[in-house]
Amino acid sequence: MGRLEELPDDYDETLGSNAPPDAATKNPTSTSRSQPSTVKIASTPLEGNSSGPTNYDPTPALPPAIASMHTQSVDEVADMLKQTPLFMTSLDDTSTVDENMQLEAMRALQYEGTRAEIAQGFREKGNELAREKKWSDGKEFYTKGLLALRVEKPEDEIKEDKKEKEVEEACYINRALCNLELKNYRSTILDCASTLRLNPGNIKAHYRSCLALLSLAKLPEAFDSCQHLLALDPTNAQGLALLARVNTAREVQATKEAKRLERETRQQKEAETLRTALLARSIRTRNTGQPPEMEDAAIHLVPDPLSLVNSTLVFPVVVLFPVHLQSDFIKAFGEEQTLAGHLSYLLPLPWDDAREYTVDSVEAYLETTTGGLVKWGKKVPLLKVLSGGKVEVVDGIVRVNVVPKGRSQTWIQDIKARKPGGI
């Protein structure tokens, strides 16, 4: 009985498995005598076969597509998977997407159909999102529907003009609704205008346009839109209710406008009366263009700003204490009042520990129009020192310097030294 040995997968049958190696080489033509059959199966290549493999790996070979990954890094494999639609996480890499045939095929399936059918699909998706009040997403799909209708039309779709106009109109008016809910009022008006160019009888376009115009306080235009709506459907309940809202807003606006005009007219008259009063008293004023913030403090006539006969002037006054770099503010200093009357409640000062500032121990000075100083007697009315044109009121404020008598001469000398030409 023959002996069995294991042969390798790449064993070459031409070596002669039924004859001894020596016989196969010494007598290759001898076939008359039958030789005992021997099957040799070996776990290693045959001895003496120099052409056989030197190392044998029993692991099955991988498919070529997977085997190629052995030469790639993990990042390269991940990038390759991301180009497959099933594993895509982003469409930002447009260069990759444009060359990806699988993705382009899926896109082609998405946009199969005529222009009207594609636009209708976007419209229906937008309707679904609008019903869910997802206004931004719905607006995007209506926009895609409109863009689909701008693609060059094939010859076999000429008959679909009517359907396309219907879809285009619906996309515009529905996008107008999305913009209205998103408070994009100007975009709402533009979409309604586009709808009306396609169909001047679209009631929804007039209604939504009117709502947007009302929100922008464009009441004449809103009233006009409402009138067009009711001209198409005089019994439209929503249109009648909207007209009532527009009319109410117009009445409120008219009342506000009347009050504004009245207020502006009065302010103009008060300003003119004040200028006349200052000129009559020979009081000079000057504005620097950068007045300080004084809230409601200002030169005015009391008790009647429009009366020159029965009213007196009131000035805001800043009291400066230059020796100690301090100040105080008198909001309303009447033209007939004296400085002593106001100093009586301002003094003593909380920071004056030495008690240098009393009504009897201080002197007051105002700066003249030429840059000098004029002494203001504490019992002299404000009008007397302001009239005559020597002193000017800058930016609507009277500024007075109050210094202790014992330091007044030193302070005056310091002022002279700081001025180029002296006082």
Side-chain angles (χ1 to χ4, degrees):
M1 183 172 178
R3 182 165 53 88
L4 297 178
E5 295 184 16
E6 183 182 359
L7 293 175
D9 292 338
D10 55 354
Y11 177 68
D12 190 352
E13 294 182 356
T14 60
L15 296 176
S17 61
N18 294 328
D22 293 340
T25 55
K26 290 180 180 180
N27 190 16
T29 59
S30 177
T31 58
S32 60
R33 297 183 64 181
S34 173
Q35 297 293 332
S37 175
T38 300
V39 178
K40 187 175 182 181
I41 302 175
S43 59
T44 58
L46 294 177
E47 295 180 2
N49 182 10
S50 60
S51 63
T54 59
N55 293 311
Y56 172 66
D57 185 359
T59 305
L62 295 173
I66 299 178
S68 63
M69 293 184 182
H70 284 290
T71 62
Q72 297 178 343
S73 65
V74 174
D75 291 337
E76 291 173 338
V77 172
D79 291 339
M80 183 178 68
L81 289 175
K82 287 180 181 179
Q83 297 178 22
T84 305
L86 181 61
F87 297 100
M88 278 187 174
T89 59
S90 174
L91 292 177
D92 293 337
D93 190 358
T94 54
S95 62
T96 302
V97 171
D98 290 341
E99 298 172 0
N100 193 316
M101 299 303 295
Q102 297 180 40
L103 183 61
E104 291 303 316
M106 294 179 69
R107 282 179 167 174
L109 289 174
Q110 179 184 359
Y111 297 115
E112 281 185 350
T114 63
R115 297 195 322 172
E117 290 170 348
I118 294 171
Q120 179 65 17
F122 284 126
R123 173 197 170 187
E124 291 174 355
K125 182 60 178 177
N127 290 346
E128 293 177 10
L129 294 168
R131 281 192 289 270
E132 297 174 6
K133 299 188 182 301
K134 296 180 180 179
W135 306 115
S136 296
D137 295 335
K139 184 185 76 169
E140 293 301 321
F141 274 93
Y142 292 132
T143 301
K144 288 180 179 179
L146 293 170
L147 292 174
L149 295 172
R150 292 188 175 91
V151 178
E152 186 177 355
K153 185 187 299 183
E155 294 182 1
D156 58 350
E157 293 186 24
I158 302 298
K159 297 180 180 180
E160 294 204 356
D161 282 350
K162 182 178 180 180
K163 178 63 177 177
E164 288 185 3
K165 287 184 179 180
E166 291 176 358
V167 175
E168 186 176 11
E169 178 185 347
C171 286
Y172 271 125
I173 194 59
N174 290 342
R175 190 172 71 174
L177 173 62
C178 294
N179 281 317
L180 184 63
E181 293 294 338
L182 292 169
K183 296 183 176 11
N184 298 332
Y185 299 123
R186 299 188 187 280
S187 296
T188 301
I189 295 169
L190 292 174
D191 283 342
C192 289
S194 298
T195 303
L196 293 172
R197 278 195 293 270
L198 295 169
N199 179 12
N202 191 305
I203 292 178
K204 289 182 179 180
H206 289 295
Y207 181 78
R208 291 169 185 169
S209 178
C210 183
L211 284 173
L213 291 165
L214 181 60
S215 298
L216 292 173
K218 295 181 177 294
L219 300 185
E221 295 87 345
F223 180 77
D224 184 63
S225 291
C226 208
Q227 290 291 88
H228 280 89
L229 186 158
L230 293 174
L232 295 169
D233 186 1
T235 61
N236 188 288
Q238 290 182 319
L240 292 171
L242 184 57
L243 179 61
R245 287 177 57 189
V246 172
N247 286 332
T248 300
R250 293 175 70 193
E251 292 173 2
V252 171
Q253 187 182 61
T255 302
K256 289 182 178 179
E257 182 66 15
K259 290 182 178 180
R260 185 186 65 80
L261 291 175
E262 182 182 355
R263 183 171 60 255
E264 289 181 354
T265 301
R266 181 178 176 83
Q267 288 174 349
Q268 291 174 358
K269 289 182 178 179
E270 289 179 0
E272 185 61 32
T273 304
L274 180 61
R275 281 193 295 270
T276 303
L278 291 171
L279 288 173
R281 292 163 172 78
S282 299
I283 298 175
R284 297 183 61 175
T285 60
R286 176 170 62 89
N287 294 321
T288 62
Q290 296 179 335
E293 179 61 42
M294 298 188 297
E295 297 182 353
D296 59 341
I299 305 174
H300 60 283
L301 287 164
V302 293
D304 184 3
L306 296 177
S307 175
L308 290 171
V309 179
N310 300 319
S311 298
T312 59
L313 282 172
V314 173
F315 296 82
V317 175
V318 173
V319 182
L320 302 171
F321 304 98
V323 175
H324 290 84
L325 302 178
Q326 298 288 341
S327 65
D328 212 328
F329 183 67
I330 302 172
K331 185 176 181 179
F333 198 125
E335 62 180 345
E336 297 177 351
Q337 296 175 345
T338 64
L339 181 61
H342 287 281
L343 289 178
S344 62
Y345 66 81
L346 287 179
L347 306 178
L349 299 166
W351 43 264
D352 181 22
D353 297 332
R355 291 294 183 265
E356 294 183 76
Y357 293 88
T358 65
V359 176
D360 296 328
S361 65
V362 296
E363 294 178 345
Y365 297 88
L366 295 171
E367 188 173 350
T368 64
T369 56
T370 59
L373 294 173
V374 60
K375 188 175 181 180
W376 178 11
K378 293 187 292 291
K379 295 183 179 180
V380 176
L382 178 61
L383 176 60
K384 187 172 182 179
V385 74
L386 291 181
S387 61
K390 290 185 178 181
V391 177
E392 64 180 356
V393 180
V394 181
D395 292 327
I397 302 176
V398 176
R399 293 170 174 82
V400 56
N401 296 280
V402 176
V403 296
K405 287 182 180 180
R407 301 194 184 193
S408 61
Q409 293 302 316
T410 303
W411 175 73
I412 292 173
Q413 293 301 321
D414 289 342
I415 295 295
K416 288 182 178 180
R418 287 197 294 268
K419 293 185 178 291
I423 297 179

PDB file of all heavy atoms in Angstrom, residues 52-78:
ATOM      1  N   GLY A  52      10.643  26.224  -5.412  1.00  0.00           N
ATOM      2  CA  GLY A  52       9.511  26.336  -4.490  1.00  0.00           C
ATOM      3  C   GLY A  52       9.730  27.448  -3.481  1.00  0.00           C
ATOM      4  O   GLY A  52      10.843  27.951  -3.312  1.00  0.00           O
ATOM      5  N   PRO A  53       8.680  27.898  -2.762  1.00  0.00           N
ATOM      6  CA  PRO A  53       8.806  28.970  -1.761  1.00  0.00           C
ATOM      7  C   PRO A  53       9.637  28.501  -0.599  1.00  0.00           C
ATOM      8  O   PRO A  53       9.620  27.346  -0.231  1.00  0.00           O
ATOM      9  CB  PRO A  53       7.362  29.239  -1.350  1.00  0.00           C
ATOM     10  CG  PRO A  53       6.625  27.979  -1.643  1.00  0.00           C
ATOM     11  CD  PRO A  53       7.293  27.390  -2.832  1.00  0.00           C
ATOM     12  N   THR A  54      10.344  29.450  -0.021  1.00  0.00           N
ATOM     13  CA  THR A  54      11.188  29.137   1.129  1.00  0.00           C
ATOM     14  C   THR A  54      10.427  29.250   2.434  1.00  0.00           C
ATOM     15  O   THR A  54      10.784  28.609   3.417  1.00  0.00           O
ATOM     16  CB  THR A  54      12.404  30.078   1.148  1.00  0.00           C
ATOM     17  OG1 THR A  54      11.932  31.423   1.214  1.00  0.00           O
ATOM     18  CG2 THR A  54      13.242  29.902  -0.108  1.00  0.00           C
ATOM     19  N   ASN A  55       9.362  30.157   2.512  1.00  0.00           N
ATOM     20  CA  ASN A  55       8.539  30.311   3.718  1.00  0.00           C
ATOM     21  C   ASN A  55       7.083  30.158   3.328  1.00  0.00           C
ATOM     22  O   ASN A  55       6.613  30.786   2.377  1.00  0.00           O
ATOM     23  CB  ASN A  55       8.765  31.682   4.352  1.00  0.00           C
ATOM     24  CG  ASN A  55      10.161  31.821   4.907  1.00  0.00           C
ATOM     25  OD1 ASN A  55      10.631  30.942   5.628  1.00  0.00           O
ATOM     26  ND2 ASN A  55      10.834  32.919   4.555  1.00  0.00           N
ATOM     27  N   TYR A  56       6.325  29.478   4.119  1.00  0.00           N
ATOM     28  CA  TYR A  56       4.918  29.228   3.799  1.00  0.00           C
ATOM     29  C   TYR A  56       4.036  29.828   4.882  1.00  0.00           C
ATOM     30  O   TYR A  56       4.236  29.591   6.077  1.00  0.00           O
ATOM     31  CB  TYR A  56       4.664  27.720   3.704  1.00  0.00           C
ATOM     32  CG  TYR A  56       3.194  27.391   3.577  1.00  0.00           C
ATOM     33  CD1 TYR A  56       2.497  27.771   2.445  1.00  0.00           C
ATOM     34  CD2 TYR A  56       2.533  26.724   4.610  1.00  0.00           C
ATOM     35  CE1 TYR A  56       1.158  27.464   2.332  1.00  0.00           C
ATOM     36  CE2 TYR A  56       1.192  26.423   4.494  1.00  0.00           C
ATOM     37  CZ  TYR A  56       0.498  26.803   3.350  1.00  0.00           C
ATOM     38  OH  TYR A  56      -0.833  26.522   3.239  1.00  0.00           O
ATOM     39  N   ASP A  57       3.068  30.693   4.456  1.00  0.00           N
ATOM     40  CA  ASP A  57       2.134  31.352   5.391  1.00  0.00           C
ATOM     41  C   ASP A  57       0.754  30.780   5.163  1.00  0.00           C
ATOM     42  O   ASP A  57       0.168  30.958   4.093  1.00  0.00           O
ATOM     43  CB  ASP A  57       2.131  32.869   5.138  1.00  0.00           C
ATOM     44  CG  ASP A  57       1.278  33.600   6.163  1.00  0.00           C
ATOM     45  OD1 ASP A  57       0.696  32.935   7.038  1.00  0.00           O
ATOM     46  OD2 ASP A  57       1.190  34.851   6.076  1.00  0.00           O
ATOM     47  N   PRO A  58       0.191  30.081   6.143  1.00  0.00           N
ATOM     48  CA  PRO A  58      -1.125  29.440   5.948  1.00  0.00           C
ATOM     49  C   PRO A  58      -2.291  30.417   5.999  1.00  0.00           C
ATOM     50  O   PRO A  58      -3.427  30.033   5.774  1.00  0.00           O
ATOM     51  CB  PRO A  58      -1.194  28.446   7.112  1.00  0.00           C
ATOM     52  CG  PRO A  58      -0.345  29.075   8.179  1.00  0.00           C
ATOM     53  CD  PRO A  58       0.790  29.752   7.451  1.00  0.00           C
ATOM     54  N   THR A  59      -2.103  31.783   6.327  1.00  0.00           N
ATOM     55  CA  THR A  59      -3.208  32.752   6.421  1.00  0.00           C
ATOM     56  C   THR A  59      -3.796  33.007   5.036  1.00  0.00           C
ATOM     57  O   THR A  59      -3.052  33.267   4.091  1.00  0.00           O
ATOM     58  CB  THR A  59      -2.704  34.083   7.000  1.00  0.00           C
ATOM     59  OG1 THR A  59      -2.076  33.818   8.260  1.00  0.00           O
ATOM     60  CG2 THR A  59      -3.858  35.051   7.187  1.00  0.00           C
ATOM     61  N   PRO A  60      -5.140  32.978   4.897  1.00  0.00           N
ATOM     62  CA  PRO A  60      -5.755  33.234   3.580  1.00  0.00           C
ATOM     63  C   PRO A  60      -5.458  34.647   3.112  1.00  0.00           C
ATOM     64  O   PRO A  60      -5.382  35.579   3.912  1.00  0.00           O
ATOM     65  CB  PRO A  60      -7.253  33.041   3.848  1.00  0.00           C
ATOM     66  CG  PRO A  60      -7.331  32.250   5.106  1.00  0.00           C
ATOM     67  CD  PRO A  60      -6.146  32.603   5.910  1.00  0.00           C
ATOM     68  N   ALA A  61      -5.328  34.802   1.815  1.00  0.00           N
ATOM     69  CA  ALA A  61      -5.052  36.120   1.242  1.00  0.00           C
ATOM     70  C   ALA A  61      -6.300  36.997   1.327  1.00  0.00           C
ATOM     71  O   ALA A  61      -7.414  36.530   1.163  1.00  0.00           O
ATOM     72  CB  ALA A  61      -4.616  35.973  -0.217  1.00  0.00           C
ATOM     73  N   LEU A  62      -6.113  38.352   1.592  1.00  0.00           N
ATOM     74  CA  LEU A  62      -7.219  39.320   1.673  1.00  0.00           C
ATOM     75  C   LEU A  62      -7.605  39.797   0.285  1.00  0.00           C
ATOM     76  O   LEU A  62      -6.794  39.764  -0.640  1.00  0.00           O
ATOM     77  CB  LEU A  62      -6.800  40.527   2.524  1.00  0.00           C
ATOM     78  CG  LEU A  62      -6.517  40.243   4.006  1.00  0.00           C
ATOM     79  CD1 LEU A  62      -5.952  41.508   4.660  1.00  0.00           C
ATOM     80  CD2 LEU A  62      -7.784  39.798   4.722  1.00  0.00           C
ATOM     81  N   PRO A  63      -8.866  40.307   0.137  1.00  0.00           N
ATOM     82  CA  PRO A  63      -9.246  40.912  -1.145  1.00  0.00           C
ATOM     83  C   PRO A  63      -8.342  42.086  -1.448  1.00  0.00           C
ATOM     84  O   PRO A  63      -7.872  42.765  -0.530  1.00  0.00           O
ATOM     85  CB  PRO A  63     -10.691  41.365  -0.893  1.00  0.00           C
ATOM     86  CG  PRO A  63     -11.175  40.512   0.232  1.00  0.00           C
ATOM     87  CD  PRO A  63      -9.988  40.234   1.083  1.00  0.00           C
ATOM     88  N   PRO A  64      -8.119  42.379  -2.731  1.00  0.00           N
ATOM     89  CA  PRO A  64      -7.177  43.452  -3.101  1.00  0.00           C
ATOM     90  C   PRO A  64      -7.530  44.807  -2.492  1.00  0.00           C
ATOM     91  O   PRO A  64      -6.650  45.548  -2.066  1.00  0.00           O
ATOM     92  CB  PRO A  64      -7.261  43.476  -4.635  1.00  0.00           C
ATOM     93  CG  PRO A  64      -7.719  42.102  -4.997  1.00  0.00           C
ATOM     94  CD  PRO A  64      -8.611  41.634  -3.903  1.00  0.00           C
ATOM     95  N   ALA A  65      -8.834  45.164  -2.459  1.00  0.00           N
ATOM     96  CA  ALA A  65      -9.229  46.482  -1.952  1.00  0.00           C
ATOM     97  C   ALA A  65      -8.882  46.637  -0.486  1.00  0.00           C
ATOM     98  O   ALA A  65      -8.492  47.716  -0.028  1.00  0.00           O
ATOM     99  CB  ALA A  65     -10.727  46.692  -2.162  1.00  0.00           C
ATOM    100  N   ILE A  66      -9.039  45.533   0.286  1.00  0.00           N
ATOM    101  CA  ILE A  66      -8.732  45.593   1.713  1.00  0.00           C
ATOM    102  C   ILE A  66      -7.235  45.448   1.933  1.00  0.00           C
ATOM    103  O   ILE A  66      -6.646  46.071   2.825  1.00  0.00           O
ATOM    104  CB  ILE A  66      -9.508  44.508   2.483  1.00  0.00           C
ATOM    105  CG1 ILE A  66     -11.023  44.733   2.304  1.00  0.00           C
ATOM    106  CG2 ILE A  66      -9.137  44.496   3.955  1.00  0.00           C
ATOM    107  CD1 ILE A  66     -11.884  43.693   2.978  1.00  0.00           C
ATOM    108  N   ALA A  67      -6.589  44.590   1.116  1.00  0.00           N
ATOM    109  CA  ALA A  67      -5.152  44.398   1.263  1.00  0.00           C
ATOM    110  C   ALA A  67      -4.376  45.687   1.063  1.00  0.00           C
ATOM    111  O   ALA A  67      -3.344  45.917   1.692  1.00  0.00           O
ATOM    112  CB  ALA A  67      -4.681  43.331   0.274  1.00  0.00           C
ATOM    113  N   SER A  68      -4.906  46.606   0.214  1.00  0.00           N
ATOM    114  CA  SER A  68      -4.199  47.862  -0.043  1.00  0.00           C
ATOM    115  C   SER A  68      -4.160  48.766   1.180  1.00  0.00           C
ATOM    116  O   SER A  68      -3.332  49.662   1.278  1.00  0.00           O
ATOM    117  CB  SER A  68      -4.866  48.606  -1.208  1.00  0.00           C
ATOM    118  OG  SER A  68      -6.204  48.945  -0.859  1.00  0.00           O
ATOM    119  N   MET A  69      -5.075  48.527   2.150  1.00  0.00           N
ATOM    120  CA  MET A  69      -5.108  49.371   3.347  1.00  0.00           C
ATOM    121  C   MET A  69      -3.902  49.140   4.245  1.00  0.00           C
ATOM    122  O   MET A  69      -3.616  49.948   5.125  1.00  0.00           O
ATOM    123  CB  MET A  69      -6.397  49.122   4.145  1.00  0.00           C
ATOM    124  CG  MET A  69      -7.662  49.558   3.441  1.00  0.00           C
ATOM    125  SD  MET A  69      -9.125  49.349   4.493  1.00  0.00           S
ATOM    126  CE  MET A  69     -10.405  49.895   3.360  1.00  0.00           C
ATOM    127  N   HIS A  70      -3.195  47.987   4.061  1.00  0.00           N
ATOM    128  CA  HIS A  70      -2.052  47.703   4.901  1.00  0.00           C
ATOM    129  C   HIS A  70      -0.952  48.733   4.707  1.00  0.00           C
ATOM    130  O   HIS A  70      -0.119  48.935   5.583  1.00  0.00           O
ATOM    131  CB  HIS A  70      -1.505  46.302   4.604  1.00  0.00           C
ATOM    132  CG  HIS A  70      -2.352  45.199   5.194  1.00  0.00           C
ATOM    133  ND1 HIS A  70      -2.430  44.970   6.561  1.00  0.00           N
ATOM    134  CD2 HIS A  70      -3.172  44.286   4.603  1.00  0.00           C
ATOM    135  CE1 HIS A  70      -3.254  43.952   6.794  1.00  0.00           C
ATOM    136  NE2 HIS A  70      -3.719  43.519   5.627  1.00  0.00           N
ATOM    137  N   THR A  71      -0.963  49.397   3.561  1.00  0.00           N
ATOM    138  CA  THR A  71       0.075  50.386   3.271  1.00  0.00           C
ATOM    139  C   THR A  71      -0.358  51.795   3.616  1.00  0.00           C
ATOM    140  O   THR A  71       0.363  52.743   3.334  1.00  0.00           O
ATOM    141  CB  THR A  71       0.435  50.327   1.781  1.00  0.00           C
ATOM    142  OG1 THR A  71      -0.725  50.656   1.005  1.00  0.00           O
ATOM    143  CG2 THR A  71       0.944  48.940   1.403  1.00  0.00           C
ATOM    144  N   GLN A  72      -1.567  51.982   4.203  1.00  0.00           N
ATOM    145  CA  GLN A  72      -2.093  53.319   4.508  1.00  0.00           C
ATOM    146  C   GLN A  72      -2.164  53.515   6.014  1.00  0.00           C
ATOM    147  O   GLN A  72      -2.349  52.568   6.775  1.00  0.00           O
ATOM    148  CB  GLN A  72      -3.486  53.508   3.893  1.00  0.00           C
ATOM    149  CG  GLN A  72      -3.479  53.430   2.365  1.00  0.00           C
ATOM    150  CD  GLN A  72      -4.880  53.564   1.796  1.00  0.00           C
ATOM    151  OE1 GLN A  72      -5.845  53.403   2.519  1.00  0.00           O
ATOM    152  NE2 GLN A  72      -4.961  53.855   0.513  1.00  0.00           N
ATOM    153  N   SER A  73      -2.088  54.804   6.405  1.00  0.00           N
ATOM    154  CA  SER A  73      -2.186  55.139   7.822  1.00  0.00           C
ATOM    155  C   SER A  73      -3.655  55.148   8.246  1.00  0.00           C
ATOM    156  O   SER A  73      -4.564  55.086   7.419  1.00  0.00           O
ATOM    157  CB  SER A  73      -1.567  56.510   8.086  1.00  0.00           C
ATOM    158  OG  SER A  73      -2.327  57.509   7.433  1.00  0.00           O
ATOM    159  N   VAL A  74      -3.886  55.244   9.560  1.00  0.00           N
ATOM    160  CA  VAL A  74      -5.258  55.284  10.080  1.00  0.00           C
ATOM    161  C   VAL A  74      -6.000  56.506   9.553  1.00  0.00           C
ATOM    162  O   VAL A  74      -7.172  56.429   9.166  1.00  0.00           O
ATOM    163  CB  VAL A  74      -5.232  55.287  11.631  1.00  0.00           C
ATOM    164  CG1 VAL A  74      -6.648  55.469  12.178  1.00  0.00           C
ATOM    165  CG2 VAL A  74      -4.613  54.013  12.164  1.00  0.00           C
ATOM    166  N   ASP A  75      -5.321  57.665   9.502  1.00  0.00           N
ATOM    167  CA  ASP A  75      -5.973  58.887   9.013  1.00  0.00           C
ATOM    168  C   ASP A  75      -6.347  58.758   7.544  1.00  0.00           C
ATOM    169  O   ASP A  75      -7.408  59.226   7.115  1.00  0.00           O
ATOM    170  CB  ASP A  75      -5.045  60.088   9.207  1.00  0.00           C
ATOM    171  CG  ASP A  75      -4.863  60.424  10.680  1.00  0.00           C
ATOM    172  OD1 ASP A  75      -5.747  60.047  11.471  1.00  0.00           O
ATOM    173  OD2 ASP A  75      -3.841  61.060  11.016  1.00  0.00           O
ATOM    174  N   GLU A  76      -5.473  58.128   6.748  1.00  0.00           N
ATOM    175  CA  GLU A  76      -5.785  57.954   5.325  1.00  0.00           C
ATOM    176  C   GLU A  76      -6.980  57.038   5.130  1.00  0.00           C
ATOM    177  O   GLU A  76      -7.833  57.282   4.268  1.00  0.00           O
ATOM    178  CB  GLU A  76      -4.554  57.393   4.594  1.00  0.00           C
ATOM    179  CG  GLU A  76      -3.402  58.387   4.492  1.00  0.00           C
ATOM    180  CD  GLU A  76      -2.143  57.763   3.912  1.00  0.00           C
ATOM    181  OE1 GLU A  76      -2.022  56.517   3.983  1.00  0.00           O
ATOM    182  OE2 GLU A  76      -1.312  58.512   3.391  1.00  0.00           O
ATOM    183  N   VAL A  77      -7.072  55.995   5.943  1.00  0.00           N
ATOM    184  CA  VAL A  77      -8.226  55.094   5.851  1.00  0.00           C
ATOM    185  C   VAL A  77      -9.504  55.825   6.251  1.00  0.00           C
ATOM    186  O   VAL A  77     -10.560  55.687   5.617  1.00  0.00           O
ATOM    187  CB  VAL A  77      -8.002  53.851   6.739  1.00  0.00           C
ATOM    188  CG1 VAL A  77      -9.272  53.000   6.800  1.00  0.00           C
ATOM    189  CG2 VAL A  77      -6.842  53.022   6.215  1.00  0.00           C
ATOM    190  N   ALA A  78      -9.419  56.650   7.320  1.00  0.00           N
ATOM    191  CA  ALA A  78     -10.593  57.410   7.760  1.00  0.00           C
ATOM    192  C   ALA A  78     -11.043  58.380   6.683  1.00  0.00           C
ATOM    193  O   ALA A  78     -12.246  58.531   6.419  1.00  0.00           O
ATOM    194  CB  ALA A  78     -10.268  58.150   9.059  1.00  0.00           C
TER     195      ALA A  78
END
